[in-house]
Amino acid sequence: MVGERKPICRTYLMCPPRFFRVEYVINPWMDTTVPVDADLAVKQWERLREILIELGHTVHVLDPDPGLPDMVFAANGAFTVDGVAYGARFRHPQRSAEAAAHRAFYAGQGWPHTEPVEINEGEGDFAYLPGKGMVLAGYGFRTAPPAHAEAAETLSRPVVSLRLTDPRFYHLDTALAAIDDHTVAYYPGAFSAPSQRVLRQLFPDAVLADEADALDFGLNLVSDGRHVLLNSDATALATKLAAAGFTPIPVELSELKKGGGSVKCCIAELRP
Ligand code: ARG
């Protein structure tokens, strides 16, 4: 039996999907011909925010911009470790203006913020394991490999590079997530064979997801060390997490999935 897992109170940043639309295609999930229920998108997002607050977390909210339909995916705006924010530089011009909104937020909170030279999409491609003092970083589709070195210099943390090879899992956070301070859950098939070996070495105790879990966006999750918020379609992964001693909390996010995102994409963690 696994002992009781302790949740840790977190601080998050989210942005309401008031202007969410699928009006361009920058990942294989997006299809401009599929209708989005805008009201439902907002309701589902509100529920996600409520759950975080009910669990005792602090949630800051960023003002959405009507011209930036993907701004709901707040995880992409920066990556923070120990009170330092490493800003994003988006790969696609359609999203590039989002970086300034995040920069302004951190400035307003008095956080040191570093402007990146290299293309990187914030927590979309960076994950932090506080127990190991280590950053995991994805590349292959969005974040440029030199951004990994830039992040290491900015944040004074070792960065382990992992190559993503399946375009459906275009950001690290679609295929891997920290579930506590030391451990991750991931889908091996999203990574190159050498990167899979790196993951096996680093995380012999990882929760392994299968392709169906990953396609259900199950790995695009947010964990406080005990409660794991994940897409309600990913029922098999929820069962695996429960067996590992976590408390899965299913969240319905059918509309945002049409933009290629789920729980984690909507939530940036602020690590003071
Ligand atoms: N439509 C957005 C894009 O392709 C979705 C971003 C999802 N965010 C994430 N952290 N995976 O950029």
PDB file of all heavy atoms in Angstrom, residues 20-21 24-27 30 70 73-76 90 92 95 98 121-125 142 170-174 217 220 256 258-262 264-266, ligand 1:
ATOM      1  N   PHE A  20     -11.614  32.531 -27.082  1.00  0.00           N
ATOM      2  CA  PHE A  20     -11.060  31.298 -27.661  1.00  0.00           C
ATOM      3  C   PHE A  20     -11.792  30.939 -28.960  1.00  0.00           C
ATOM      4  O   PHE A  20     -13.026  30.945 -29.013  1.00  0.00           O
ATOM      5  CB  PHE A  20     -11.184  30.142 -26.657  1.00  0.00           C
ATOM      6  CG  PHE A  20     -10.793  28.813 -27.244  1.00  0.00           C
ATOM      7  CD1 PHE A  20      -9.487  28.567 -27.634  1.00  0.00           C
ATOM      8  CD2 PHE A  20     -11.743  27.804 -27.432  1.00  0.00           C
ATOM      9  CE1 PHE A  20      -9.120  27.351 -28.196  1.00  0.00           C
ATOM     10  CE2 PHE A  20     -11.389  26.576 -27.989  1.00  0.00           C
ATOM     11  CZ  PHE A  20     -10.074  26.362 -28.368  1.00  0.00           C
ATOM     12  N   ARG A  21     -11.022  30.647 -30.001  1.00  0.00           N
ATOM     13  CA  ARG A  21     -11.552  30.198 -31.285  1.00  0.00           C
ATOM     14  C   ARG A  21     -10.475  29.316 -31.918  1.00  0.00           C
ATOM     15  O   ARG A  21      -9.326  29.384 -31.523  1.00  0.00           O
ATOM     16  CB  ARG A  21     -11.767  31.386 -32.257  1.00  0.00           C
ATOM     17  CG  ARG A  21     -12.699  32.476 -31.771  1.00  0.00           C
ATOM     18  CD  ARG A  21     -12.755  33.662 -32.764  1.00  0.00           C
ATOM     19  NE  ARG A  21     -11.463  34.337 -32.954  1.00  0.00           N
ATOM     20  CZ  ARG A  21     -10.957  35.268 -32.148  1.00  0.00           C
ATOM     21  NH1 ARG A  21     -11.611  35.633 -31.058  1.00  0.00           N
ATOM     22  NH2 ARG A  21      -9.788  35.829 -32.421  1.00  0.00           N
ATOM     23  N   TYR A  24      -6.882  29.264 -36.897  1.00  0.00           N
ATOM     24  CA  TYR A  24      -5.690  28.914 -37.671  1.00  0.00           C
ATOM     25  C   TYR A  24      -5.271  27.532 -37.202  1.00  0.00           C
ATOM     26  O   TYR A  24      -5.787  27.018 -36.195  1.00  0.00           O
ATOM     27  CB  TYR A  24      -4.563  29.949 -37.465  1.00  0.00           C
ATOM     28  CG  TYR A  24      -4.277  30.302 -36.014  1.00  0.00           C
ATOM     29  CD1 TYR A  24      -3.562  29.429 -35.186  1.00  0.00           C
ATOM     30  CD2 TYR A  24      -4.746  31.505 -35.468  1.00  0.00           C
ATOM     31  CE1 TYR A  24      -3.299  29.746 -33.865  1.00  0.00           C
ATOM     32  CE2 TYR A  24      -4.488  31.829 -34.133  1.00  0.00           C
ATOM     33  CZ  TYR A  24      -3.761  30.948 -33.341  1.00  0.00           C
ATOM     34  OH  TYR A  24      -3.509  31.258 -32.035  1.00  0.00           O
ATOM     35  N   VAL A  25      -4.356  26.916 -37.923  1.00  0.00           N
ATOM     36  CA  VAL A  25      -3.939  25.544 -37.598  1.00  0.00           C
ATOM     37  C   VAL A  25      -2.438  25.514 -37.360  1.00  0.00           C
ATOM     38  O   VAL A  25      -1.650  25.715 -38.282  1.00  0.00           O
ATOM     39  CB  VAL A  25      -4.325  24.567 -38.743  1.00  0.00           C
ATOM     40  CG1 VAL A  25      -3.781  23.173 -38.461  1.00  0.00           C
ATOM     41  CG2 VAL A  25      -5.842  24.510 -38.897  1.00  0.00           C
ATOM     42  N   ILE A  26      -2.045  25.285 -36.097  1.00  0.00           N
ATOM     43  CA  ILE A  26      -0.605  25.214 -35.798  1.00  0.00           C
ATOM     44  C   ILE A  26      -0.260  23.917 -35.061  1.00  0.00           C
ATOM     45  O   ILE A  26       0.861  23.734 -34.613  1.00  0.00           O
ATOM     46  CB  ILE A  26      -0.104  26.454 -35.008  1.00  0.00           C
ATOM     47  CG1 ILE A  26      -0.890  26.652 -33.697  1.00  0.00           C
ATOM     48  CG2 ILE A  26      -0.185  27.706 -35.882  1.00  0.00           C
ATOM     49  CD1 ILE A  26      -0.317  27.752 -32.800  1.00  0.00           C
ATOM     50  N   ASN A  27      -1.244  23.024 -34.921  1.00  0.00           N
ATOM     51  CA  ASN A  27      -0.964  21.686 -34.394  1.00  0.00           C
ATOM     52  C   ASN A  27      -2.019  20.745 -34.968  1.00  0.00           C
ATOM     53  O   ASN A  27      -3.066  21.202 -35.447  1.00  0.00           O
ATOM     54  CB  ASN A  27      -0.924  21.696 -32.853  1.00  0.00           C
ATOM     55  CG  ASN A  27      -2.284  21.902 -32.226  1.00  0.00           C
ATOM     56  OD1 ASN A  27      -3.235  21.170 -32.518  1.00  0.00           O
ATOM     57  ND2 ASN A  27      -2.414  22.902 -31.365  1.00  0.00           N
ATOM     58  N   MET A  30      -5.962  20.991 -34.277  1.00  0.00           N
ATOM     59  CA  MET A  30      -6.774  22.140 -34.667  1.00  0.00           C
ATOM     60  C   MET A  30      -7.391  21.910 -36.045  1.00  0.00           C
ATOM     61  O   MET A  30      -6.715  21.468 -36.967  1.00  0.00           O
ATOM     62  CB  MET A  30      -5.921  23.421 -34.657  1.00  0.00           C
ATOM     63  CG  MET A  30      -5.343  23.719 -33.293  1.00  0.00           C
ATOM     64  SD  MET A  30      -4.187  25.107 -33.269  1.00  0.00           S
ATOM     65  CE  MET A  30      -5.304  26.479 -32.962  1.00  0.00           C
ATOM     66  N   ASP A  70      -5.639  31.900 -28.690  1.00  0.00           N
ATOM     67  CA  ASP A  70      -5.000  30.798 -27.956  1.00  0.00           C
ATOM     68  C   ASP A  70      -4.491  31.239 -26.579  1.00  0.00           C
ATOM     69  O   ASP A  70      -3.811  30.461 -25.894  1.00  0.00           O
ATOM     70  CB  ASP A  70      -3.803  30.246 -28.760  1.00  0.00           C
ATOM     71  CG  ASP A  70      -4.182  29.071 -29.662  1.00  0.00           C
ATOM     72  OD1 ASP A  70      -5.204  28.400 -29.378  1.00  0.00           O
ATOM     73  OD2 ASP A  70      -3.460  28.824 -30.651  1.00  0.00           O
ATOM     74  N   PHE A  73      -4.283  29.273 -23.260  1.00  0.00           N
ATOM     75  CA  PHE A  73      -3.243  28.289 -22.953  1.00  0.00           C
ATOM     76  C   PHE A  73      -2.080  28.996 -22.241  1.00  0.00           C
ATOM     77  O   PHE A  73      -0.980  29.176 -22.789  1.00  0.00           O
ATOM     78  CB  PHE A  73      -2.818  27.557 -24.227  1.00  0.00           C
ATOM     79  CG  PHE A  73      -3.971  26.818 -24.881  1.00  0.00           C
ATOM     80  CD1 PHE A  73      -4.434  27.151 -26.145  1.00  0.00           C
ATOM     81  CD2 PHE A  73      -4.621  25.796 -24.189  1.00  0.00           C
ATOM     82  CE1 PHE A  73      -5.515  26.479 -26.721  1.00  0.00           C
ATOM     83  CE2 PHE A  73      -5.701  25.117 -24.752  1.00  0.00           C
ATOM     84  CZ  PHE A  73      -6.151  25.464 -26.020  1.00  0.00           C
ATOM     85  N   ALA A  74      -2.360  29.385 -21.012  1.00  0.00           N
ATOM     86  CA  ALA A  74      -1.463  30.251 -20.233  1.00  0.00           C
ATOM     87  C   ALA A  74      -0.126  29.599 -19.890  1.00  0.00           C
ATOM     88  O   ALA A  74       0.843  30.292 -19.584  1.00  0.00           O
ATOM     89  CB  ALA A  74      -2.166  30.685 -18.946  1.00  0.00           C
ATOM     90  N   ALA A  75      -0.081  28.266 -19.956  1.00  0.00           N
ATOM     91  CA  ALA A  75       1.168  27.574 -19.612  1.00  0.00           C
ATOM     92  C   ALA A  75       2.311  27.961 -20.549  1.00  0.00           C
ATOM     93  O   ALA A  75       3.479  27.793 -20.209  1.00  0.00           O
ATOM     94  CB  ALA A  75       0.973  26.057 -19.667  1.00  0.00           C
ATOM     95  N   ASN A  76       1.958  28.478 -21.725  1.00  0.00           N
ATOM     96  CA  ASN A  76       2.993  28.754 -22.722  1.00  0.00           C
ATOM     97  C   ASN A  76       3.697  30.101 -22.560  1.00  0.00           C
ATOM     98  O   ASN A  76       4.639  30.389 -23.291  1.00  0.00           O
ATOM     99  CB  ASN A  76       2.395  28.666 -24.137  1.00  0.00           C
ATOM    100  CG  ASN A  76       1.861  27.291 -24.450  1.00  0.00           C
ATOM    101  OD1 ASN A  76       0.704  27.124 -24.813  1.00  0.00           O
ATOM    102  ND2 ASN A  76       2.691  26.278 -24.269  1.00  0.00           N
ATOM    103  N   PHE A  90       7.327  32.756 -28.842  1.00  0.00           N
ATOM    104  CA  PHE A  90       6.520  31.748 -29.542  1.00  0.00           C
ATOM    105  C   PHE A  90       7.061  31.435 -30.931  1.00  0.00           C
ATOM    106  O   PHE A  90       7.635  32.287 -31.597  1.00  0.00           O
ATOM    107  CB  PHE A  90       5.069  32.234 -29.656  1.00  0.00           C
ATOM    108  CG  PHE A  90       4.323  32.148 -28.359  1.00  0.00           C
ATOM    109  CD1 PHE A  90       4.444  33.151 -27.401  1.00  0.00           C
ATOM    110  CD2 PHE A  90       3.520  31.053 -28.065  1.00  0.00           C
ATOM    111  CE1 PHE A  90       3.767  33.071 -26.187  1.00  0.00           C
ATOM    112  CE2 PHE A  90       2.846  30.964 -26.856  1.00  0.00           C
ATOM    113  CZ  PHE A  90       2.971  31.970 -25.918  1.00  0.00           C
ATOM    114  N   HIS A  92       5.120  30.445 -33.514  1.00  0.00           N
ATOM    115  CA  HIS A  92       4.213  30.925 -34.565  1.00  0.00           C
ATOM    116  C   HIS A  92       3.798  32.379 -34.334  1.00  0.00           C
ATOM    117  O   HIS A  92       3.457  32.750 -33.213  1.00  0.00           O
ATOM    118  CB  HIS A  92       2.961  30.030 -34.620  1.00  0.00           C
ATOM    119  CG  HIS A  92       3.285  28.607 -34.963  1.00  0.00           C
ATOM    120  ND1 HIS A  92       3.297  27.592 -34.016  1.00  0.00           N
ATOM    121  CD2 HIS A  92       3.640  28.035 -36.130  1.00  0.00           C
ATOM    122  CE1 HIS A  92       3.631  26.455 -34.603  1.00  0.00           C
ATOM    123  NE2 HIS A  92       3.848  26.690 -35.880  1.00  0.00           N
ATOM    124  N   ARG A  95       0.763  33.618 -32.243  1.00  0.00           N
ATOM    125  CA  ARG A  95       0.747  33.651 -30.776  1.00  0.00           C
ATOM    126  C   ARG A  95       1.805  34.581 -30.179  1.00  0.00           C
ATOM    127  O   ARG A  95       1.853  34.724 -28.951  1.00  0.00           O
ATOM    128  CB  ARG A  95       0.946  32.211 -30.220  1.00  0.00           C
ATOM    129  CG  ARG A  95      -0.175  31.248 -30.597  1.00  0.00           C
ATOM    130  CD  ARG A  95      -0.138  30.003 -29.700  1.00  0.00           C
ATOM    131  NE  ARG A  95      -0.441  30.310 -28.306  1.00  0.00           N
ATOM    132  CZ  ARG A  95      -0.324  29.462 -27.292  1.00  0.00           C
ATOM    133  NH1 ARG A  95       0.091  28.229 -27.528  1.00  0.00           N
ATOM    134  NH2 ARG A  95      -0.621  29.818 -26.054  1.00  0.00           N
ATOM    135  N   GLU A  98       1.371  37.083 -27.233  1.00  0.00           N
ATOM    136  CA  GLU A  98       1.009  36.614 -25.880  1.00  0.00           C
ATOM    137  C   GLU A  98       2.159  36.808 -24.884  1.00  0.00           C
ATOM    138  O   GLU A  98       1.939  37.022 -23.694  1.00  0.00           O
ATOM    139  CB  GLU A  98       0.616  35.129 -25.902  1.00  0.00           C
ATOM    140  CG  GLU A  98      -0.670  34.856 -26.666  1.00  0.00           C
ATOM    141  CD  GLU A  98      -1.000  33.368 -26.698  1.00  0.00           C
ATOM    142  OE1 GLU A  98      -0.823  32.683 -25.675  1.00  0.00           O
ATOM    143  OE2 GLU A  98      -1.430  32.882 -27.765  1.00  0.00           O
ATOM    144  N   GLU A 121       8.369  27.827 -25.635  1.00  0.00           N
ATOM    145  CA  GLU A 121       6.957  28.029 -25.317  1.00  0.00           C
ATOM    146  C   GLU A 121       6.660  27.703 -23.862  1.00  0.00           C
ATOM    147  O   GLU A 121       5.699  27.002 -23.517  1.00  0.00           O
ATOM    148  CB  GLU A 121       6.084  27.287 -26.331  1.00  0.00           C
ATOM    149  CG  GLU A 121       6.346  27.847 -27.740  1.00  0.00           C
ATOM    150  CD  GLU A 121       5.280  27.576 -28.793  1.00  0.00           C
ATOM    151  OE1 GLU A 121       4.424  26.698 -28.587  1.00  0.00           O
ATOM    152  OE2 GLU A 121       5.321  28.257 -29.845  1.00  0.00           O
ATOM    153  N   GLY A 122       7.513  28.243 -22.981  1.00  0.00           N
ATOM    154  CA  GLY A 122       7.244  28.211 -21.550  1.00  0.00           C
ATOM    155  C   GLY A 122       7.006  26.807 -21.024  1.00  0.00           C
ATOM    156  O   GLY A 122       7.686  25.845 -21.413  1.00  0.00           O
ATOM    157  N   GLU A 123       6.037  26.684 -20.140  1.00  0.00           N
ATOM    158  CA  GLU A 123       5.771  25.389 -19.522  1.00  0.00           C
ATOM    159  C   GLU A 123       5.193  24.367 -20.501  1.00  0.00           C
ATOM    160  O   GLU A 123       5.029  23.206 -20.133  1.00  0.00           O
ATOM    161  CB  GLU A 123       4.811  25.555 -18.337  1.00  0.00           C
ATOM    162  CG  GLU A 123       5.480  26.175 -17.137  1.00  0.00           C
ATOM    163  CD  GLU A 123       4.706  25.894 -15.870  1.00  0.00           C
ATOM    164  OE1 GLU A 123       3.455  25.922 -15.909  1.00  0.00           O
ATOM    165  OE2 GLU A 123       5.352  25.643 -14.844  1.00  0.00           O
ATOM    166  N   GLY A 124       4.890  24.804 -21.711  1.00  0.00           N
ATOM    167  CA  GLY A 124       4.506  23.829 -22.724  1.00  0.00           C
ATOM    168  C   GLY A 124       5.637  22.832 -22.937  1.00  0.00           C
ATOM    169  O   GLY A 124       5.406  21.637 -23.119  1.00  0.00           O
ATOM    170  N   ASP A 125       6.876  23.331 -22.896  1.00  0.00           N
ATOM    171  CA  ASP A 125       8.035  22.480 -23.153  1.00  0.00           C
ATOM    172  C   ASP A 125       9.008  22.374 -21.980  1.00  0.00           C
ATOM    173  O   ASP A 125      10.083  21.785 -22.137  1.00  0.00           O
ATOM    174  CB  ASP A 125       8.783  22.972 -24.406  1.00  0.00           C
ATOM    175  CG  ASP A 125       8.197  22.388 -25.689  1.00  0.00           C
ATOM    176  OD1 ASP A 125       7.841  21.190 -25.697  1.00  0.00           O
ATOM    177  OD2 ASP A 125       8.081  23.131 -26.679  1.00  0.00           O
ATOM    178  N   ARG A 142       8.283  22.753 -31.180  1.00  0.00           N
ATOM    179  CA  ARG A 142       8.112  24.168 -30.838  1.00  0.00           C
ATOM    180  C   ARG A 142       9.390  24.794 -30.278  1.00  0.00           C
ATOM    181  O   ARG A 142       9.994  25.645 -30.902  1.00  0.00           O
ATOM    182  CB  ARG A 142       6.973  24.320 -29.819  1.00  0.00           C
ATOM    183  CG  ARG A 142       5.615  23.882 -30.339  1.00  0.00           C
ATOM    184  CD  ARG A 142       5.118  24.820 -31.426  1.00  0.00           C
ATOM    185  NE  ARG A 142       3.832  24.423 -31.942  1.00  0.00           N
ATOM    186  CZ  ARG A 142       2.657  24.820 -31.441  1.00  0.00           C
ATOM    187  NH1 ARG A 142       2.614  25.619 -30.390  1.00  0.00           N
ATOM    188  NH2 ARG A 142       1.527  24.417 -31.988  1.00  0.00           N
ATOM    189  N   TYR A 170       3.129  17.667 -29.553  1.00  0.00           N
ATOM    190  CA  TYR A 170       4.032  18.713 -30.049  1.00  0.00           C
ATOM    191  C   TYR A 170       4.667  19.527 -28.928  1.00  0.00           C
ATOM    192  O   TYR A 170       5.612  20.260 -29.160  1.00  0.00           O
ATOM    193  CB  TYR A 170       3.259  19.637 -31.007  1.00  0.00           C
ATOM    194  CG  TYR A 170       2.050  20.258 -30.356  1.00  0.00           C
ATOM    195  CD1 TYR A 170       2.133  21.508 -29.760  1.00  0.00           C
ATOM    196  CD2 TYR A 170       0.840  19.559 -30.271  1.00  0.00           C
ATOM    197  CE1 TYR A 170       1.045  22.062 -29.117  1.00  0.00           C
ATOM    198  CE2 TYR A 170      -0.242  20.102 -29.622  1.00  0.00           C
ATOM    199  CZ  TYR A 170      -0.143  21.356 -29.051  1.00  0.00           C
ATOM    200  OH  TYR A 170      -1.213  21.895 -28.388  1.00  0.00           O
ATOM    201  N   HIS A 171       4.097  19.459 -27.735  1.00  0.00           N
ATOM    202  CA  HIS A 171       4.687  20.099 -26.557  1.00  0.00           C
ATOM    203  C   HIS A 171       4.994  18.995 -25.545  1.00  0.00           C
ATOM    204  O   HIS A 171       4.216  18.038 -25.421  1.00  0.00           O
ATOM    205  CB  HIS A 171       3.676  21.045 -25.869  1.00  0.00           C
ATOM    206  CG  HIS A 171       3.624  22.444 -26.400  1.00  0.00           C
ATOM    207  ND1 HIS A 171       2.435  23.139 -26.470  1.00  0.00           N
ATOM    208  CD2 HIS A 171       4.588  23.288 -26.841  1.00  0.00           C
ATOM    209  CE1 HIS A 171       2.682  24.358 -26.940  1.00  0.00           C
ATOM    210  NE2 HIS A 171       3.972  24.473 -27.172  1.00  0.00           N
ATOM    211  N   LEU A 172       6.042  19.215 -24.750  1.00  0.00           N
ATOM    212  CA  LEU A 172       6.373  18.239 -23.701  1.00  0.00           C
ATOM    213  C   LEU A 172       5.163  17.961 -22.807  1.00  0.00           C
ATOM    214  O   LEU A 172       4.923  16.814 -22.412  1.00  0.00           O
ATOM    215  CB  LEU A 172       7.543  18.785 -22.859  1.00  0.00           C
ATOM    216  CG  LEU A 172       8.030  17.870 -21.734  1.00  0.00           C
ATOM    217  CD1 LEU A 172       8.725  16.638 -22.305  1.00  0.00           C
ATOM    218  CD2 LEU A 172       8.984  18.622 -20.792  1.00  0.00           C
ATOM    219  N   ASP A 173       4.387  19.002 -22.495  1.00  0.00           N
ATOM    220  CA  ASP A 173       3.282  18.824 -21.532  1.00  0.00           C
ATOM    221  C   ASP A 173       2.099  18.047 -22.086  1.00  0.00           C
ATOM    222  O   ASP A 173       1.112  17.826 -21.387  1.00  0.00           O
ATOM    223  CB  ASP A 173       2.855  20.159 -20.914  1.00  0.00           C
ATOM    224  CG  ASP A 173       2.082  21.065 -21.862  1.00  0.00           C
ATOM    225  OD1 ASP A 173       1.844  20.689 -23.028  1.00  0.00           O
ATOM    226  OD2 ASP A 173       1.715  22.173 -21.421  1.00  0.00           O
ATOM    227  N   THR A 174       2.168  17.623 -23.358  1.00  0.00           N
ATOM    228  CA  THR A 174       1.137  16.730 -23.875  1.00  0.00           C
ATOM    229  C   THR A 174       1.532  15.265 -23.655  1.00  0.00           C
ATOM    230  O   THR A 174       0.724  14.366 -23.859  1.00  0.00           O
ATOM    231  CB  THR A 174       0.900  16.949 -25.391  1.00  0.00           C
ATOM    232  OG1 THR A 174       2.113  16.638 -26.097  1.00  0.00           O
ATOM    233  CG2 THR A 174       0.499  18.379 -25.693  1.00  0.00           C
ATOM    234  N   PHE A 217      -5.398  13.264 -23.858  1.00  0.00           N
ATOM    235  CA  PHE A 217      -4.787  14.405 -23.158  1.00  0.00           C
ATOM    236  C   PHE A 217      -4.633  14.150 -21.659  1.00  0.00           C
ATOM    237  O   PHE A 217      -4.578  15.079 -20.862  1.00  0.00           O
ATOM    238  CB  PHE A 217      -5.580  15.707 -23.403  1.00  0.00           C
ATOM    239  CG  PHE A 217      -5.130  16.433 -24.637  1.00  0.00           C
ATOM    240  CD1 PHE A 217      -5.742  16.215 -25.857  1.00  0.00           C
ATOM    241  CD2 PHE A 217      -4.066  17.316 -24.583  1.00  0.00           C
ATOM    242  CE1 PHE A 217      -5.313  16.856 -27.006  1.00  0.00           C
ATOM    243  CE2 PHE A 217      -3.617  17.977 -25.717  1.00  0.00           C
ATOM    244  CZ  PHE A 217      -4.248  17.749 -26.939  1.00  0.00           C
ATOM    245  N   ASN A 220      -1.681  15.779 -19.950  1.00  0.00           N
ATOM    246  CA  ASN A 220      -1.707  17.242 -19.852  1.00  0.00           C
ATOM    247  C   ASN A 220      -2.403  17.594 -18.534  1.00  0.00           C
ATOM    248  O   ASN A 220      -3.476  18.169 -18.501  1.00  0.00           O
ATOM    249  CB  ASN A 220      -2.440  17.806 -21.074  1.00  0.00           C
ATOM    250  CG  ASN A 220      -2.199  19.283 -21.253  1.00  0.00           C
ATOM    251  OD1 ASN A 220      -3.117  20.087 -21.120  1.00  0.00           O
ATOM    252  ND2 ASN A 220      -0.976  19.655 -21.533  1.00  0.00           N
ATOM    253  N   LEU A 256     -11.672  23.107 -25.333  1.00  0.00           N
ATOM    254  CA  LEU A 256     -10.268  23.529 -25.472  1.00  0.00           C
ATOM    255  C   LEU A 256      -9.421  22.455 -26.144  1.00  0.00           C
ATOM    256  O   LEU A 256      -8.391  22.755 -26.762  1.00  0.00           O
ATOM    257  CB  LEU A 256      -9.690  23.906 -24.108  1.00  0.00           C
ATOM    258  CG  LEU A 256     -10.361  25.143 -23.486  1.00  0.00           C
ATOM    259  CD1 LEU A 256      -9.761  25.452 -22.128  1.00  0.00           C
ATOM    260  CD2 LEU A 256     -10.249  26.348 -24.396  1.00  0.00           C
ATOM    261  N   LYS A 258     -10.145  21.109 -28.761  1.00  0.00           N
ATOM    262  CA  LYS A 258     -10.178  21.435 -30.191  1.00  0.00           C
ATOM    263  C   LYS A 258      -9.063  22.411 -30.573  1.00  0.00           C
ATOM    264  O   LYS A 258      -8.782  22.610 -31.749  1.00  0.00           O
ATOM    265  CB  LYS A 258     -11.550  22.008 -30.563  1.00  0.00           C
ATOM    266  CG  LYS A 258     -12.688  21.016 -30.344  1.00  0.00           C
ATOM    267  CD  LYS A 258     -14.052  21.662 -30.502  1.00  0.00           C
ATOM    268  CE  LYS A 258     -15.168  20.667 -30.154  1.00  0.00           C
ATOM    269  NZ  LYS A 258     -16.478  21.328 -30.036  1.00  0.00           N
ATOM    270  N   GLY A 259      -8.458  23.034 -29.567  1.00  0.00           N
ATOM    271  CA  GLY A 259      -7.306  23.903 -29.829  1.00  0.00           C
ATOM    272  C   GLY A 259      -6.002  23.157 -29.604  1.00  0.00           C
ATOM    273  O   GLY A 259      -4.914  23.711 -29.794  1.00  0.00           O
ATOM    274  N   GLY A 260      -6.108  21.906 -29.156  1.00  0.00           N
ATOM    275  CA  GLY A 260      -4.900  21.107 -28.925  1.00  0.00           C
ATOM    276  C   GLY A 260      -4.386  21.213 -27.514  1.00  0.00           C
ATOM    277  O   GLY A 260      -3.187  21.045 -27.268  1.00  0.00           O
ATOM    278  N   GLY A 261      -5.293  21.484 -26.567  1.00  0.00           N
ATOM    279  CA  GLY A 261      -4.833  21.620 -25.187  1.00  0.00           C
ATOM    280  C   GLY A 261      -5.824  21.078 -24.190  1.00  0.00           C
ATOM    281  O   GLY A 261      -6.975  20.792 -24.524  1.00  0.00           O
ATOM    282  N   SER A 262      -5.367  20.919 -22.949  1.00  0.00           N
ATOM    283  CA  SER A 262      -6.253  20.474 -21.888  1.00  0.00           C
ATOM    284  C   SER A 262      -5.845  21.159 -20.576  1.00  0.00           C
ATOM    285  O   SER A 262      -5.429  22.322 -20.592  1.00  0.00           O
ATOM    286  CB  SER A 262      -6.261  18.952 -21.801  1.00  0.00           C
ATOM    287  OG  SER A 262      -7.266  18.527 -20.904  1.00  0.00           O
ATOM    288  N   LYS A 264      -3.339  21.115 -18.228  1.00  0.00           N
ATOM    289  CA  LYS A 264      -2.037  21.758 -17.979  1.00  0.00           C
ATOM    290  C   LYS A 264      -1.824  22.994 -18.848  1.00  0.00           C
ATOM    291  O   LYS A 264      -1.278  24.003 -18.385  1.00  0.00           O
ATOM    292  CB  LYS A 264      -0.899  20.745 -18.180  1.00  0.00           C
ATOM    293  CG  LYS A 264       0.484  21.336 -18.145  1.00  0.00           C
ATOM    294  CD  LYS A 264       0.791  22.032 -16.821  1.00  0.00           C
ATOM    295  CE  LYS A 264       1.836  23.102 -17.006  1.00  0.00           C
ATOM    296  NZ  LYS A 264       1.991  23.939 -15.788  1.00  0.00           N
ATOM    297  N   CYS A 265      -2.256  22.888 -20.127  1.00  0.00           N
ATOM    298  CA  CYS A 265      -2.059  24.028 -21.031  1.00  0.00           C
ATOM    299  C   CYS A 265      -2.701  25.300 -20.490  1.00  0.00           C
ATOM    300  O   CYS A 265      -2.265  26.403 -20.800  1.00  0.00           O
ATOM    301  CB  CYS A 265      -2.667  23.727 -22.392  1.00  0.00           C
ATOM    302  SG  CYS A 265      -1.959  22.322 -23.230  1.00  0.00           S
ATOM    303  N   CYS A 266      -3.762  25.141 -19.705  1.00  0.00           N
ATOM    304  CA  CYS A 266      -4.497  26.304 -19.188  1.00  0.00           C
ATOM    305  C   CYS A 266      -3.879  26.892 -17.930  1.00  0.00           C
ATOM    306  O   CYS A 266      -4.338  27.923 -17.442  1.00  0.00           O
ATOM    307  CB  CYS A 266      -5.930  25.901 -18.821  1.00  0.00           C
ATOM    308  SG  CYS A 266      -6.892  25.365 -20.213  1.00  0.00           S
TER     309      CYS A 266
HETATM  310  N1  ARG B   1      -3.353  25.962 -29.996  1.00  0.00           N
HETATM  311  C1  ARG B   1      -2.253  26.070 -29.102  1.00  0.00           C
HETATM  312  C2  ARG B   1      -0.946  25.900 -29.832  1.00  0.00           C
HETATM  313  O1  ARG B   1      -0.894  25.072 -30.715  1.00  0.00           O
HETATM  314  C3  ARG B   1      -2.374  25.065 -27.989  1.00  0.00           C
HETATM  315  C4  ARG B   1      -1.330  25.218 -26.946  1.00  0.00           C
HETATM  316  C5  ARG B   1      -1.400  24.157 -25.900  1.00  0.00           C
HETATM  317  N2  ARG B   1      -0.572  24.469 -24.812  1.00  0.00           N
HETATM  318  C6  ARG B   1       0.241  23.617 -24.178  1.00  0.00           C
HETATM  319  N3  ARG B   1       0.848  24.005 -23.112  1.00  0.00           N
HETATM  320  N4  ARG B   1       0.461  22.420 -24.665  1.00  0.00           N
HETATM  321  O2  ARG B   1       0.017  26.580 -29.576  1.00  0.00           O
END
